[in-house]
Amino acid sequence: MANVFELCFSRLSISCQVTYVILFISLAQPQNIVDFKPSYLNATGPTVTALLLGNTSDISLNLRTVSPSNTTGSIGLPSCVAEVTQWVLTREQVGKTAVRVQLRLAKSLRLCGDNESDSDCCPKPLCVLETLQVSACVGGTPQASLLIQARIFARLLPANAGSENKTVIPNQVYQPLGSCPCDLTFGACDVRCCCDTDCSSEDLKLFVSHCLPGPFGGQVSPASDYQCSVQSSKNSPDWFPFLCVNSPPENNPYLGLFYQGYTITPEPGPSFQSPVSPAPVPVHVYIQGSPIFTLNDQYFTIPQKVLGQCVNNAPVAFLKNFEVNCVTLVRSCPTGSPLRTLPTDLRIKVKNGQGGDVLVDVIDDVAFDLSQFISSTDAFSDEGLVCENVTLALDYKLYWEGNGITSITVTQTVGTITFNSSVALTTRYSAVFLNGELMGETNSGNPGYQVGKPVIAGIVDTLDNNTGLVQRVSISLWKPVSDGFCFSAEMKPILFGENSTSGCLLPVSRHNLTQCDLLRETVTSLQNNLMTATHVAKSGNPDAFTTTDWVNISILTQNSSTTMEDSTNACYGVPSHQHIHVWSLITGMVGGVPQRDIRALQVSYSMSPWTLDCGGGDVSPCVDPTETQLFPITSSVSFTDILVNTGPPKTRFQINFTEYDCNRNDVCWPELAFPITKYYTGEPYSQSLAKGLILVFFFITASILGTPWRQIRQAWK
């Protein structure tokens, strides 16, 4: 185009100026470029689909029937004039620049019958043979065209429509699936197929004596040769009556021809519906872990924790002790279980596991101090909502003997709570099984301790007959909850082999620091709550009546001479940290699991000074005697394995000189004669000794015949 412009302006002719104006007008017009994909189709069915791509906003589609020219054989130019055809043209916008074009044949492809005048059928097997042209036009001007060559044959449809009845398949174990395999034609009698239900009695008379034999002819369950009813008296041997079998027809080996012999049990797929709990199955005798049932064959339930969540109706397992705390946000006075439980609801009959029943005895208790039950409240006030007789704790004691329950008592603790809008209520639920007056305790190993099990401790009680009985108690660490204060903190047992550190906070004011002795006694009392035991069990299954199974707990006391004098705003020698040190020893292996025993347990205290911190711009604790600061009280436990070394200590030469150390060198000279020692077990000792002596003989012979001995003999001569 640039060449045209240069040529025109160089000659400045009128014709070039006209050409320039025409080109300018053509470039100024908007371009509407559309195209069919594909542009040519062969149709063999009643539906044809193509895509029109490009700017299709103002495009109109027109359909007509075309035919090639007789002289040239080509099809004329596209036309925007639509014609009436036997096809229905539809369009569907599938994108900003794409349109789906679909043609559907508007007539039936059924082949016309004889002397049928209906136009909606095909008079010949070749039903449709024509050429179609679809034109895409803008303002009467064709932009693109689609050619379709339709060659469609008529469809051969059955005279009778198929039935929608479902076939019921019998159980193939007792009845074969193909009861009449020779019935091959539907609705007609098959020759020599005597089991065909389509055959009339007249038809059967024609071939009744020539029925197809065997399973294909319908004899899918013929009587076996070993049946007593099969053999006749003519051809049966003399011993047949003694060995024939009377068997039902369902037990037939011919069923194996139709039945594969295996079944598939369907497995339920995943579902978002809540699972349906199975009905409880009562047990006659209680064993450890089995659920306890009431007299009406329902689970005996107590609120428990399942997967970290409190469940109100959790079954109680026989000989399984538990104690849980459930926190509930209360916004109104409770009216139902478990926060509002009546004594009549607790006084139920429970099966004792020995054919009888026991009645739960209820003991009422009223709690006036609610500090251990109320964790937090947004606006605690005496003028708020008052809820009376709220169940705060349910403590069950189940007495057992053998495989049965002798009695059950429950202590129900109730109280009155007051709050404005809401309160976080902590309720306690527990169940202990007592054999007589002794509570069943779980061991921490057999015989040695297992890692992760609680450390067993106890207190020795002296009875009247001077026999020492050790009552089990726990050694604990701090377990702070909610606000982290020591007075509301819980305790967690020490687990064997797991080092741990925890603590809580104690609010202390300036007035408390003027009474240092009282402050030290308060902290000591809090630390002593963690350690109430005097003995610790050596193994994981100690005997309460055997004092040799227990080790004394040693407590290290701080030297009083090292303490400093107290001042006005500081207290020294506060036992703020308690450390428990446990020494253990591996005493053996049981099934590949090491068995550890505790050899010693030591408790020590770290003293620290407590002084009010008045820096950072906050001087109120140092001015106001009632203003408090938080001081930490911590506890920790550590475990140390005692290394067993039975050999004598190594000398400095053995440590530094490693040439003859078989453990640190590939060549071990001290074991040169190992094959002839009694420790070698690769072959019998006699054979290894004989081979060793032969080697020694060859060595001596080589030495005698060698150069050194030859020189000695020459010098001797």
Side-chain angles (χ1 to χ4, degrees):
M1 185 178 295
N3 296 332
V4 174
F5 290 160
E6 293 177 359
L7 180 62
C8 289
F9 282 105
S10 62
R11 297 183 180 180
L12 296 177
S13 61
I14 298 176
S15 60
C16 289
Q17 294 178 5
V18 174
T19 304
Y20 172 75
V21 173
I22 294 174
L23 289 174
F24 181 80
I25 295 174
S26 63
L27 291 175
Q29 291 180 355
Q31 300 294 322
N32 293 327
I33 301 176
V34 292
D35 189 16
F36 282 98
K37 296 295 182 181
S39 59
Y40 179 78
L41 285 174
N42 283 322
T44 58
T47 304
V48 181
T49 303
L51 289 177
L52 178 63
L53 304 179
N55 186 8
T56 60
S57 58
D58 299 329
I59 293 294
S60 62
L61 299 178
N62 300 280
L63 176 64
R64 66 169 183 160
T65 304
V66 295
S67 58
S69 174
N70 296 329
T71 58
T72 62
S74 61
I75 298 176
L77 297 176
S79 174
C80 294
V81 179
E83 297 180 0
V84 178
T85 63
Q86 56 181 351
W87 296 80
V88 177
L89 176 64
T90 58
R91 58 184 293 175
E92 179 184 1
Q93 192 78 28
V94 294
K96 294 183 179 180
T97 60
V99 172
R100 180 186 290 113
V101 180
Q102 187 179 56
L103 276 73
R104 182 174 52 84
L105 185 63
K107 65 176 297 185
S108 175
L109 294 177
R110 179 179 58 86
L111 188 62
C112 298
D114 297 337
N115 301 325
E116 184 176 356
S117 60
D118 189 4
S119 60
D120 192 17
C121 64
C122 299
K124 297 179 180 181
L126 184 56
C127 187
V128 178
L129 180 61
E130 59 183 348
T131 303
L132 304 174
Q133 187 182 61
V134 180
S135 301
C137 302
V138 176
T141 303
Q143 303 292 327
S145 64
L146 168 66
L147 286 179
I148 302 172
Q149 179 65 45
R151 184 181 177 87
I152 306 174
F153 288 88
R155 295 180 178 179
L156 300 177
L157 301 177
N160 298 325
S163 175
E164 295 294 334
N165 296 333
K166 296 182 180 179
T167 303
V168 178
I169 300 177
N171 190 353
Q172 302 178 49
V173 179
Y174 306 105
Q175 184 177 354
L177 179 62
S179 59
C180 189
C182 60
D183 186 5
L184 303 177
T185 307
F186 175 77
C189 177
D190 292 277
V191 180
R192 298 184 61 189
C193 186
C194 298
C195 59
D196 192 350
T197 56
D198 297 325
C199 297
S200 62
S201 57
E202 290 77 8
D203 297 335
L204 292 176
K205 292 179 181 180
L206 300 176
F207 48 83
V208 66
S209 58
H210 301 280
C211 295
L212 294 173
F216 183 74
Q219 300 177 8
V220 294
S221 298
S224 304
D225 295 338
Y226 53 78
Q227 290 281 0
C228 296
S229 60
V230 172
Q231 296 292 340
S232 61
S233 58
K234 296 181 180 180
N235 55 0
S236 60
D238 297 338
W239 45 264
F240 180 78
F242 299 97
L243 299 179
C244 65
V245 177
N246 288 317
S247 177
E250 290 81 6
N251 186 16
N252 195 295
Y254 285 98
L255 289 176
L257 299 175
F258 303 93
Y259 178 61
Q260 298 297 329
Y262 62 90
T263 58
I264 299 176
T265 303
E267 297 181 358
S271 175
F272 291 97
Q273 298 180 356
S274 58
V276 180
S277 301
V281 180
V283 295
H284 301 286
V285 178
Y286 290 138
I287 60 175
Q288 184 178 10
S290 62
I292 300 176
F293 289 87
T294 60
L295 193 60
N296 56 353
D297 293 335
Q298 298 297 321
Y299 289 125
F300 176 60
T301 60
I302 300 175
Q304 301 177 48
K305 278 189 176 180
V306 178
L307 299 177
Q309 301 293 329
C310 288
V311 180
N312 294 334
N313 298 322
V316 179
F318 186 65
L319 298 182
K320 294 291 185 180
N321 302 333
F322 67 87
E323 181 178 355
V324 298
N325 293 329
C326 296
V327 180
T328 306
L329 184 61
V330 180
R331 291 187 173 89
S332 61
C333 291
T335 58
S337 177
L339 296 181
R340 187 63 182 269
T341 307
L342 300 178
T344 55
D345 299 333
L346 300 174
R347 196 175 290 110
I348 60 176
K349 290 185 178 182
V350 178
K351 289 186 175 181
N352 61 0
Q354 297 177 348
D357 59 83
V358 294
L359 182 64
V360 179
D361 186 16
V362 182
I363 301 175
D364 295 326
D365 187 18
V366 180
F368 298 98
D369 184 12
L370 304 180
S371 59
Q372 59 177 332
F373 300 106
I374 296 179
S375 301
S376 62
T377 179
D378 58 344
F380 186 78
S381 175
D382 295 337
E383 299 179 357
L385 184 63
V386 179
C387 300
E388 299 180 350
N389 296 327
V390 178
T391 302
L392 303 177
L394 291 175
D395 299 316
Y396 283 84
K397 292 183 179 180
L398 298 93
Y399 298 88
W400 65 279
E401 183 178 357
N403 293 94
I405 300 174
T406 57
S407 62
I408 301 176
T409 60
V410 56
T411 302
Q412 182 186 20
T413 304
V414 298
T416 301
I417 60 175
T418 305
F419 58 94
N420 281 345
S421 59
S422 64
V423 61
L425 183 64
T426 302
T427 53
R428 182 183 69 248
Y429 305 98
S430 65
V432 294
F433 287 82
L434 304 174
N435 189 355
E437 291 297 332
L438 298 177
M439 183 175 63
E441 297 284 352
T442 58
N443 294 327
S444 296
N446 186 19
Y449 277 99
Q450 299 300 317
V451 177
K453 297 293 184 180
V455 174
I456 301 175
I459 301 175
V460 178
D461 290 343
T462 303
L463 303 179
D464 296 336
N465 54 1
N466 294 327
T467 302
L469 173 66
V470 181
Q471 293 185 355
R472 291 191 181 186
V473 294
S474 62
I475 304 177
S476 306
L477 299 177
W478 291 113
K479 182 183 178 182
V481 294
S482 69
D483 50 14
F485 291 156
C486 295
F487 293 104
S488 62
E490 299 178 357
M491 301 178 186
K492 61 180 180 180
I494 293 177
L495 303 180
F496 184 83
E498 297 183 1
N499 300 334
S500 179
T501 301
S502 62
C504 59
L505 299 175
L506 181 65
V508 178
S509 64
R510 183 176 172 224
H511 176 70
N512 298 133
L513 293 179
T514 60
Q515 302 174 348
C516 293
D517 293 337
L518 180 59
L519 179 61
R520 281 189 286 265
E521 291 178 2
T522 302
V523 176
T524 303
S525 176
L526 291 174
Q527 297 283 34
N528 290 338
N529 292 334
L530 301 176
M531 175 64 67
T532 59
T534 59
H535 291 72
V536 64
K538 291 182 179 179
S539 60
N541 58 345
D543 187 4
F545 295 93
T546 304
T547 56
T548 57
D549 290 350
W550 303 83
V551 179
N552 291 327
I553 297 176
S554 61
I555 300 177
L556 295 181
T557 58
Q558 183 74 16
N559 191 358
S560 60
S561 61
T562 60
T563 59
M564 300 177 61
E565 294 184 359
D566 301 326
S567 60
T568 305
N569 295 327
C571 291
Y572 296 91
V574 179
S576 59
H577 179 71
Q578 180 192 74
H579 180 67
I580 302 172
H581 196 176
V582 182
W583 285 270
S584 62
L585 176 66
I586 297 178
T587 58
M589 303 285 289
V590 175
V593 179
Q595 303 298 313
R596 294 179 171 87
D597 286 356
I598 293 179
R599 294 299 181 177
L601 190 146
Q602 186 182 79
V603 182
S604 60
Y605 295 92
S606 299
M607 307 298 177
S608 61
W610 282 9
T611 306
L612 292 177
D613 185 10
C614 300
D618 186 10
V619 296
S620 58
C622 299
V623 177
D624 189 357
T626 60
E627 188 71 21
T628 62
Q629 280 189 0
L630 299 179
F631 289 84
I633 299 178
T634 58
S635 60
S636 62
V637 60
S638 62
F639 292 84
T640 302
D641 291 334
I642 301 175
L643 300 179
V644 179
N645 188 8
T646 58
K650 291 184 178 181
T651 62
R652 185 176 60 181
F653 176 78
Q654 292 175 335
I655 295 175
N656 297 329
F657 191 70
T658 61
E659 182 179 355
Y660 296 101
D661 190 352
C662 297
N663 294 327
R664 288 183 284 181
N665 291 281
D666 295 334
V667 178
C668 185
W669 292 106
E671 295 183 357
L672 180 61
F674 177 74
I676 61 175
T677 61
K678 62 180 180 179
Y679 302 103
Y680 178 67
T681 59
E683 55 187 352
Y685 179 72
S686 58
Q687 295 183 11
S688 61
L689 180 61
K691 295 177 181 179
L693 293 177
I694 293 174
L695 291 176
V696 173
F697 172 75
F698 283 125
F699 177 76
I700 296 174
T701 304
S703 301
I704 294 175
L705 300 177
T707 302
W709 284 102
R710 187 183 306 111
Q711 294 177 356
I712 293 174
R713 288 195 303 271
Q714 291 176 358
W716 181 263
K717 293 179 180 180

